[in-house]
Amino acid sequence: MAQSFWIGMAPLRCDLCKTDIVDEFIDGGTRHGPWGFMCPTCHQVHGVGLGMGRGQRYRREAEGEITCTAAEATAFRGEPSPEVRAVRRFVKVEG
Ligand SMILES: [Zn+2]
């Protein structure tokens, strides 16, 4: 099965509790409507599950972080970044 990767500017904090995201996050819907990046704890409380139309779970790869330049960061998200930033590479986790 093909793996899909999240190589962009991965979220640094949970949108709900503002906790730093370290190894795992969920990009998914909430019971309150809007989508966001959630830590696993918030996803359990506020999320609507995993799967198509509900949410995707990502886990950080073992090799850790990738450093990218500001230019690359801009390409990822369309947002200019004034500094070189470390980018975490996450791999999508099924289910
Ligand atoms: Zn959270």
Side-chain angles (χ1 to χ4, degrees), residues 7-90:
I7 319 181
M9 296 299 291
L12 299 177
R13 283 184 204 85
C14 171
D15 283 346
L16 300 178
C17 70
K18 310 303 181 192
T19 297
D20 285 354
I21 286 171
V22 180
D23 289 323
E24 195 173 339
F25 71 92
I26 292 92
D27 176 21
T30 68
R31 299 179 203 278
H32 319 291
W35 279 52
F37 299 122
M38 287 171 273
C39 65
T41 303
C42 286
H43 182 252
Q44 281 194 339
V45 178
H46 302 284
V48 292
L50 294 169
M52 193 69 101
R54 291 185 293 171
Q56 272 84 46
R57 190 153 60 104
Y58 293 87
R59 189 191 298 278
R60 187 151 66 100
E61 288 198 296
E63 55 262 43
E65 300 189 345
I66 297 170
T67 301
C68 79
T69 66
E72 286 167 331
T74 301
F76 282 135
R77 284 286 294 270
E79 298 168 358
S81 172
E83 61 204 43
V84 175
R85 296 184 60 178
V87 176
R88 296 168 180 158
R89 186 175 187 225
F90 287 81

